PDB file of all heavy atoms in Angstrom:
ATOM      1  N   PHE A 625      21.379 178.977  91.098  1.00  0.00           N
ATOM      2  CA  PHE A 625      20.812 179.774  90.126  1.00  0.00           C
ATOM      3  C   PHE A 625      20.752 179.089  88.741  1.00  0.00           C
ATOM      4  O   PHE A 625      19.855 179.273  87.865  1.00  0.00           O
ATOM      5  CB  PHE A 625      21.362 181.176  89.995  1.00  0.00           C
ATOM      6  CG  PHE A 625      20.960 182.074  91.152  1.00  0.00           C
ATOM      7  CD1 PHE A 625      21.901 182.370  92.135  1.00  0.00           C
ATOM      8  CD2 PHE A 625      19.646 182.522  91.259  1.00  0.00           C
ATOM      9  CE1 PHE A 625      21.474 183.233  93.165  1.00  0.00           C
ATOM     10  CE2 PHE A 625      19.266 183.440  92.273  1.00  0.00           C
ATOM     11  CZ  PHE A 625      20.217 183.782  93.295  1.00  0.00           C
ATOM     12  N   TYR A 626      21.827 178.353  88.512  1.00  0.00           N
ATOM     13  CA  TYR A 626      21.834 177.557  87.213  1.00  0.00           C
ATOM     14  C   TYR A 626      20.754 176.495  87.196  1.00  0.00           C
ATOM     15  O   TYR A 626      20.117 176.248  86.245  1.00  0.00           O
ATOM     16  CB  TYR A 626      23.212 176.904  87.018  1.00  0.00           C
ATOM     17  CG  TYR A 626      24.444 177.854  86.974  1.00  0.00           C
ATOM     18  CD1 TYR A 626      25.459 177.726  87.974  1.00  0.00           C
ATOM     19  CD2 TYR A 626      24.492 178.894  86.128  1.00  0.00           C
ATOM     20  CE1 TYR A 626      26.473 178.593  87.997  1.00  0.00           C
ATOM     21  CE2 TYR A 626      25.491 179.868  86.102  1.00  0.00           C
ATOM     22  CZ  TYR A 626      26.577 179.674  87.108  1.00  0.00           C
ATOM     23  OH  TYR A 626      27.624 180.525  87.114  1.00  0.00           O
ATOM     24  N   GLY A 627      20.648 175.788  88.347  1.00  0.00           N
ATOM     25  CA  GLY A 627      19.628 174.742  88.411  1.00  0.00           C
ATOM     26  C   GLY A 627      18.236 175.142  88.358  1.00  0.00           C
ATOM     27  O   GLY A 627      17.319 174.292  88.138  1.00  0.00           O
ATOM     28  N   GLU A 628      17.921 176.482  88.523  1.00  0.00           N
ATOM     29  CA  GLU A 628      16.557 177.002  88.380  1.00  0.00           C
ATOM     30  C   GLU A 628      16.083 176.825  86.971  1.00  0.00           C
ATOM     31  O   GLU A 628      14.925 176.699  86.701  1.00  0.00           O
ATOM     32  CB  GLU A 628      16.417 178.348  88.859  1.00  0.00           C
ATOM     33  CG  GLU A 628      16.392 178.527  90.303  1.00  0.00           C
ATOM     34  CD  GLU A 628      15.948 180.024  90.701  1.00  0.00           C
ATOM     35  OE1 GLU A 628      16.480 180.984  90.130  1.00  0.00           O
ATOM     36  OE2 GLU A 628      14.999 180.138  91.515  1.00  0.00           O
ATOM     37  N   GLN A 629      17.077 176.913  85.989  1.00  0.00           N
ATOM     38  CA  GLN A 629      16.648 176.918  84.580  1.00  0.00           C
ATOM     39  C   GLN A 629      17.244 175.796  83.768  1.00  0.00           C
ATOM     40  O   GLN A 629      16.794 175.618  82.629  1.00  0.00           O
ATOM     41  CB  GLN A 629      17.100 178.258  83.973  1.00  0.00           C
ATOM     42  CG  GLN A 629      16.404 179.517  84.647  1.00  0.00           C
ATOM     43  CD  GLN A 629      16.784 180.740  83.971  1.00  0.00           C
ATOM     44  OE1 GLN A 629      16.896 180.858  82.714  1.00  0.00           O
ATOM     45  NE2 GLN A 629      17.109 181.840  84.737  1.00  0.00           N
ATOM     46  N   LEU A 630      18.217 175.077  84.257  1.00  0.00           N
ATOM     47  CA  LEU A 630      18.929 174.068  83.552  1.00  0.00           C
ATOM     48  C   LEU A 630      19.090 172.788  84.399  1.00  0.00           C
ATOM     49  O   LEU A 630      19.112 172.881  85.614  1.00  0.00           O
ATOM     50  CB  LEU A 630      20.344 174.543  83.203  1.00  0.00           C
ATOM     51  CG  LEU A 630      20.520 175.712  82.247  1.00  0.00           C
ATOM     52  CD1 LEU A 630      21.948 176.254  82.320  1.00  0.00           C
ATOM     53  CD2 LEU A 630      20.119 175.244  80.864  1.00  0.00           C
ATOM     54  N   PRO A 631      19.217 171.624  83.796  1.00  0.00           N
ATOM     55  CA  PRO A 631      19.627 170.461  84.555  1.00  0.00           C
ATOM     56  C   PRO A 631      20.958 170.729  85.143  1.00  0.00           C
ATOM     57  O   PRO A 631      21.841 171.192  84.357  1.00  0.00           O
ATOM     58  CB  PRO A 631      19.713 169.278  83.478  1.00  0.00           C
ATOM     59  CG  PRO A 631      18.728 169.800  82.336  1.00  0.00           C
ATOM     60  CD  PRO A 631      18.911 171.254  82.335  1.00  0.00           C
ATOM     61  N   ALA A 632      21.196 170.509  86.402  1.00  0.00           N
ATOM     62  CA  ALA A 632      22.480 170.891  87.076  1.00  0.00           C
ATOM     63  C   ALA A 632      22.762 169.866  88.053  1.00  0.00           C
ATOM     64  O   ALA A 632      21.915 169.178  88.679  1.00  0.00           O
ATOM     65  CB  ALA A 632      22.349 172.249  87.662  1.00  0.00           C
ATOM     66  N   LEU A 633      24.119 169.691  88.292  1.00  0.00           N
ATOM     67  CA  LEU A 633      24.592 168.779  89.290  1.00  0.00           C
ATOM     68  C   LEU A 633      25.793 169.410  90.037  1.00  0.00           C
ATOM     69  O   LEU A 633      26.806 169.868  89.419  1.00  0.00           O
ATOM     70  CB  LEU A 633      25.043 167.425  88.616  1.00  0.00           C
ATOM     71  CG  LEU A 633      25.744 166.478  89.551  1.00  0.00           C
ATOM     72  CD1 LEU A 633      24.859 165.970  90.588  1.00  0.00           C
ATOM     73  CD2 LEU A 633      26.338 165.277  88.717  1.00  0.00           C
ATOM     74  N   MET A 634      25.729 169.439  91.312  1.00  0.00           N
ATOM     75  CA  MET A 634      26.799 169.885  92.215  1.00  0.00           C
ATOM     76  C   MET A 634      27.251 168.671  92.979  1.00  0.00           C
ATOM     77  O   MET A 634      26.504 168.113  93.670  1.00  0.00           O
ATOM     78  CB  MET A 634      26.465 171.054  93.137  1.00  0.00           C
ATOM     79  CG  MET A 634      27.509 171.277  94.211  1.00  0.00           C
ATOM     80  SD  MET A 634      29.092 171.809  93.575  1.00  0.00           S
ATOM     81  CE  MET A 634      28.697 173.480  93.008  1.00  0.00           C
ATOM     82  N   MET A 635      28.561 168.298  92.847  1.00  0.00           N
ATOM     83  CA  MET A 635      29.186 167.238  93.609  1.00  0.00           C
ATOM     84  C   MET A 635      30.113 167.803  94.603  1.00  0.00           C
ATOM     85  O   MET A 635      30.691 168.861  94.431  1.00  0.00           O
ATOM     86  CB  MET A 635      29.908 166.318  92.633  1.00  0.00           C
ATOM     87  CG  MET A 635      29.017 165.576  91.734  1.00  0.00           C
ATOM     88  SD  MET A 635      29.973 164.802  90.342  1.00  0.00           S
ATOM     89  CE  MET A 635      30.233 166.265  89.302  1.00  0.00           C
ATOM     90  N   PHE A 636      30.193 167.165  95.748  1.00  0.00           N
ATOM     91  CA  PHE A 636      31.133 167.563  96.815  1.00  0.00           C
ATOM     92  C   PHE A 636      32.226 166.454  96.964  1.00  0.00           C
ATOM     93  O   PHE A 636      31.945 165.279  97.011  1.00  0.00           O
ATOM     94  CB  PHE A 636      30.434 167.628  98.151  1.00  0.00           C
ATOM     95  CG  PHE A 636      29.344 168.743  98.074  1.00  0.00           C
ATOM     96  CD1 PHE A 636      27.969 168.381  97.825  1.00  0.00           C
ATOM     97  CD2 PHE A 636      29.651 170.069  98.241  1.00  0.00           C
ATOM     98  CE1 PHE A 636      27.022 169.387  97.730  1.00  0.00           C
ATOM     99  CE2 PHE A 636      28.659 171.043  98.133  1.00  0.00           C
ATOM    100  CZ  PHE A 636      27.339 170.727  97.902  1.00  0.00           C
ATOM    101  N   VAL A 637      33.453 166.967  96.934  1.00  0.00           N
ATOM    102  CA  VAL A 637      34.634 166.019  96.739  1.00  0.00           C
ATOM    103  C   VAL A 637      35.437 165.996  98.081  1.00  0.00           C
ATOM    104  O   VAL A 637      35.854 167.081  98.565  1.00  0.00           O
ATOM    105  CB  VAL A 637      35.552 166.507  95.566  1.00  0.00           C
ATOM    106  CG1 VAL A 637      36.686 165.549  95.387  1.00  0.00           C
ATOM    107  CG2 VAL A 637      34.736 166.580  94.298  1.00  0.00           C
ATOM    108  N   GLY A 638      35.642 164.822  98.607  1.00  0.00           N
ATOM    109  CA  GLY A 638      36.410 164.771  99.845  1.00  0.00           C
ATOM    110  C   GLY A 638      37.837 165.019  99.691  1.00  0.00           C
ATOM    111  O   GLY A 638      38.437 165.034  98.609  1.00  0.00           O
ATOM    112  N   THR A 639      38.466 165.432 100.762  1.00  0.00           N
ATOM    113  CA  THR A 639      39.869 165.845 100.796  1.00  0.00           C
ATOM    114  C   THR A 639      40.562 165.412 102.119  1.00  0.00           C
ATOM    115  O   THR A 639      39.869 165.275 103.213  1.00  0.00           O
ATOM    116  CB  THR A 639      40.071 167.367 100.709  1.00  0.00           C
ATOM    117  OG1 THR A 639      41.455 167.716 100.878  1.00  0.00           O
ATOM    118  CG2 THR A 639      39.258 168.136 101.712  1.00  0.00           C
ATOM    119  N   GLY A 640      41.824 165.106 102.091  1.00  0.00           N
ATOM    120  CA  GLY A 640      42.463 164.763 103.329  1.00  0.00           C
ATOM    121  C   GLY A 640      43.031 165.949 104.044  1.00  0.00           C
ATOM    122  O   GLY A 640      43.726 165.855 105.078  1.00  0.00           O
ATOM    123  N   ALA A 641      42.661 167.157 103.500  1.00  0.00           N
ATOM    124  CA  ALA A 641      43.205 168.380 104.134  1.00  0.00           C
ATOM    125  C   ALA A 641      42.584 168.604 105.561  1.00  0.00           C
ATOM    126  O   ALA A 641      41.457 168.260 105.831  1.00  0.00           O
ATOM    127  CB  ALA A 641      42.902 169.581 103.293  1.00  0.00           C
ATOM    128  N   GLY A 642      43.415 169.102 106.453  1.00  0.00           N
ATOM    129  CA  GLY A 642      42.957 169.474 107.740  1.00  0.00           C
ATOM    130  C   GLY A 642      42.285 170.818 107.725  1.00  0.00           C
ATOM    131  O   GLY A 642      42.299 171.527 106.735  1.00  0.00           O
ATOM    132  N   GLY A 643      41.746 171.264 108.827  1.00  0.00           N
ATOM    133  CA  GLY A 643      41.097 172.567 108.941  1.00  0.00           C
ATOM    134  C   GLY A 643      39.753 172.518 108.225  1.00  0.00           C
ATOM    135  O   GLY A 643      39.225 171.490 107.830  1.00  0.00           O
ATOM    136  N   GLY A 644      39.093 173.688 108.120  1.00  0.00           N
ATOM    137  CA  GLY A 644      37.792 173.735 107.561  1.00  0.00           C
ATOM    138  C   GLY A 644      37.758 174.819 106.548  1.00  0.00           C
ATOM    139  O   GLY A 644      38.571 175.805 106.517  1.00  0.00           O
ATOM    140  N   LEU A 645      36.681 174.775 105.678  1.00  0.00           N
ATOM    141  CA  LEU A 645      36.442 175.874 104.695  1.00  0.00           C
ATOM    142  C   LEU A 645      36.415 177.235 105.473  1.00  0.00           C
ATOM    143  O   LEU A 645      35.894 177.378 106.577  1.00  0.00           O
ATOM    144  CB  LEU A 645      35.094 175.574 103.984  1.00  0.00           C
ATOM    145  CG  LEU A 645      35.080 174.355 103.155  1.00  0.00           C
ATOM    146  CD1 LEU A 645      33.589 174.120 102.706  1.00  0.00           C
ATOM    147  CD2 LEU A 645      35.937 174.439 101.913  1.00  0.00           C
ATOM    148  N   HIS A 646      36.958 178.193 104.710  1.00  0.00           N
ATOM    149  CA  HIS A 646      36.966 179.611 105.216  1.00  0.00           C
ATOM    150  C   HIS A 646      37.832 179.804 106.484  1.00  0.00           C
ATOM    151  O   HIS A 646      37.525 180.700 107.288  1.00  0.00           O
ATOM    152  CB  HIS A 646      35.531 180.178 105.470  1.00  0.00           C
ATOM    153  CG  HIS A 646      34.658 180.225 104.206  1.00  0.00           C
ATOM    154  ND1 HIS A 646      33.678 181.085 104.109  1.00  0.00           N
ATOM    155  CD2 HIS A 646      34.802 179.585 102.973  1.00  0.00           C
ATOM    156  CE1 HIS A 646      33.106 181.000 102.919  1.00  0.00           C
ATOM    157  NE2 HIS A 646      33.768 180.046 102.209  1.00  0.00           N
ATOM    158  N   THR A 647      38.831 179.010 106.659  1.00  0.00           N
ATOM    159  CA  THR A 647      39.751 179.171 107.712  1.00  0.00           C
ATOM    160  C   THR A 647      41.148 179.449 107.168  1.00  0.00           C
ATOM    161  O   THR A 647      41.476 179.073 106.146  1.00  0.00           O
ATOM    162  CB  THR A 647      39.817 177.980 108.728  1.00  0.00           C
ATOM    163  OG1 THR A 647      40.264 176.849 107.998  1.00  0.00           O
ATOM    164  CG2 THR A 647      38.459 177.659 109.294  1.00  0.00           C
ATOM    165  N   SER A 648      42.004 180.117 108.007  1.00  0.00           N
ATOM    166  CA  SER A 648      43.279 180.619 107.528  1.00  0.00           C
ATOM    167  C   SER A 648      44.333 179.488 107.217  1.00  0.00           C
ATOM    168  O   SER A 648      45.271 179.749 106.528  1.00  0.00           O
ATOM    169  CB  SER A 648      43.889 181.638 108.532  1.00  0.00           C
ATOM    170  OG  SER A 648      44.178 180.960 109.728  1.00  0.00           O
ATOM    171  N   ASP A 649      44.090 178.295 107.730  1.00  0.00           N
ATOM    172  CA  ASP A 649      45.003 177.224 107.518  1.00  0.00           C
ATOM    173  C   ASP A 649      44.401 176.132 106.638  1.00  0.00           C
ATOM    174  O   ASP A 649      45.007 174.983 106.515  1.00  0.00           O
ATOM    175  CB  ASP A 649      45.453 176.597 108.813  1.00  0.00           C
ATOM    176  CG  ASP A 649      44.304 176.099 109.701  1.00  0.00           C
ATOM    177  OD1 ASP A 649      43.121 176.272 109.315  1.00  0.00           O
ATOM    178  OD2 ASP A 649      44.559 175.291 110.651  1.00  0.00           O
ATOM    179  N   PHE A 650      43.326 176.396 105.972  1.00  0.00           N
ATOM    180  CA  PHE A 650      42.778 175.425 105.082  1.00  0.00           C
ATOM    181  C   PHE A 650      43.498 175.305 103.812  1.00  0.00           C
ATOM    182  O   PHE A 650      43.669 176.263 103.033  1.00  0.00           O
ATOM    183  CB  PHE A 650      41.267 175.704 104.775  1.00  0.00           C
ATOM    184  CG  PHE A 650      40.564 174.710 103.931  1.00  0.00           C
ATOM    185  CD1 PHE A 650      40.440 173.360 104.301  1.00  0.00           C
ATOM    186  CD2 PHE A 650      40.098 174.998 102.635  1.00  0.00           C
ATOM    187  CE1 PHE A 650      39.854 172.458 103.505  1.00  0.00           C
ATOM    188  CE2 PHE A 650      39.469 174.100 101.858  1.00  0.00           C
ATOM    189  CZ  PHE A 650      39.349 172.811 102.294  1.00  0.00           C
ATOM    190  N   LEU A 651      44.025 174.110 103.446  1.00  0.00           N
ATOM    191  CA  LEU A 651      44.891 173.919 102.199  1.00  0.00           C
ATOM    192  C   LEU A 651      44.681 172.530 101.657  1.00  0.00           C
ATOM    193  O   LEU A 651      45.334 171.561 102.131  1.00  0.00           O
ATOM    194  CB  LEU A 651      46.324 174.157 102.623  1.00  0.00           C
ATOM    195  CG  LEU A 651      47.253 174.220 101.412  1.00  0.00           C
ATOM    196  CD1 LEU A 651      47.082 175.500 100.658  1.00  0.00           C
ATOM    197  CD2 LEU A 651      48.774 174.089 101.907  1.00  0.00           C
ATOM    198  N   PRO A 652      43.757 172.305 100.727  1.00  0.00           N
ATOM    199  CA  PRO A 652      43.693 171.055 100.114  1.00  0.00           C
ATOM    200  C   PRO A 652      45.012 170.681  99.418  1.00  0.00           C
ATOM    201  O   PRO A 652      45.748 171.586  98.996  1.00  0.00           O
ATOM    202  CB  PRO A 652      42.604 171.341  99.057  1.00  0.00           C
ATOM    203  CG  PRO A 652      41.739 172.464  99.560  1.00  0.00           C
ATOM    204  CD  PRO A 652      42.781 173.316 100.287  1.00  0.00           C
ATOM    205  N   GLY A 653      45.234 169.404  99.224  1.00  0.00           N
ATOM    206  CA  GLY A 653      46.501 168.933  98.603  1.00  0.00           C
ATOM    207  C   GLY A 653      46.410 169.060  97.157  1.00  0.00           C
ATOM    208  O   GLY A 653      45.395 169.221  96.543  1.00  0.00           O
ATOM    209  N   ASP A 654      47.583 169.030  96.475  1.00  0.00           N
ATOM    210  CA  ASP A 654      47.634 169.141  95.006  1.00  0.00           C
ATOM    211  C   ASP A 654      46.919 167.940  94.392  1.00  0.00           C
ATOM    212  O   ASP A 654      46.347 168.028  93.251  1.00  0.00           O
ATOM    213  CB  ASP A 654      49.121 169.113  94.572  1.00  0.00           C
ATOM    214  CG  ASP A 654      49.722 170.445  94.805  1.00  0.00           C
ATOM    215  OD1 ASP A 654      48.978 171.430  94.985  1.00  0.00           O
ATOM    216  OD2 ASP A 654      50.945 170.507  94.860  1.00  0.00           O
ATOM    217  N   ASP A 655      46.848 166.795  95.144  1.00  0.00           N
ATOM    218  CA  ASP A 655      46.159 165.625  94.463  1.00  0.00           C
ATOM    219  C   ASP A 655      44.614 165.931  94.448  1.00  0.00           C
ATOM    220  O   ASP A 655      43.971 165.265  93.738  1.00  0.00           O
ATOM    221  CB  ASP A 655      46.407 164.331  95.314  1.00  0.00           C
ATOM    222  CG  ASP A 655      46.045 163.106  94.580  1.00  0.00           C
ATOM    223  OD1 ASP A 655      46.435 163.047  93.354  1.00  0.00           O
ATOM    224  OD2 ASP A 655      45.503 162.141  95.087  1.00  0.00           O
ATOM    225  N   ASP A 656      44.173 166.891  95.189  1.00  0.00           N
ATOM    226  CA  ASP A 656      42.741 167.208  95.150  1.00  0.00           C
ATOM    227  C   ASP A 656      42.336 167.851  93.782  1.00  0.00           C
ATOM    228  O   ASP A 656      41.211 167.859  93.470  1.00  0.00           O
ATOM    229  CB  ASP A 656      42.395 168.152  96.282  1.00  0.00           C
ATOM    230  CG  ASP A 656      42.289 167.366  97.621  1.00  0.00           C
ATOM    231  OD1 ASP A 656      41.900 166.197  97.672  1.00  0.00           O
ATOM    232  OD2 ASP A 656      42.758 167.925  98.600  1.00  0.00           O
ATOM    233  N   VAL A 657      43.345 168.403  93.073  1.00  0.00           N
ATOM    234  CA  VAL A 657      43.075 168.840  91.765  1.00  0.00           C
ATOM    235  C   VAL A 657      42.696 167.730  90.873  1.00  0.00           C
ATOM    236  O   VAL A 657      41.624 167.868  90.112  1.00  0.00           O
ATOM    237  CB  VAL A 657      44.300 169.564  91.079  1.00  0.00           C
ATOM    238  CG1 VAL A 657      43.972 169.984  89.647  1.00  0.00           C
ATOM    239  CG2 VAL A 657      44.716 170.810  91.946  1.00  0.00           C
ATOM    240  N   ARG A 658      43.299 166.571  91.039  1.00  0.00           N
ATOM    241  CA  ARG A 658      42.868 165.363  90.261  1.00  0.00           C
ATOM    242  C   ARG A 658      41.407 164.944  90.639  1.00  0.00           C
ATOM    243  O   ARG A 658      40.612 164.701  89.827  1.00  0.00           O
ATOM    244  CB  ARG A 658      43.816 164.201  90.563  1.00  0.00           C
ATOM    245  CG  ARG A 658      43.292 162.831  90.049  1.00  0.00           C
ATOM    246  CD  ARG A 658      44.228 161.720  90.334  1.00  0.00           C
ATOM    247  NE  ARG A 658      45.282 161.624  89.395  1.00  0.00           N
ATOM    248  CZ  ARG A 658      46.568 162.022  89.611  1.00  0.00           C
ATOM    249  NH1 ARG A 658      46.874 162.487  90.821  1.00  0.00           N
ATOM    250  NH2 ARG A 658      47.462 161.958  88.670  1.00  0.00           N
TER     251      ARG A 658
END
């Protein structure tokens, strides 16, 4: 919705975490904050 009216960029950042998004054991590491 932002990109409909503004220049916008969404990046996807890799992680070494196991599991998948929206699962009960998904836990990115603290280094992923960096």
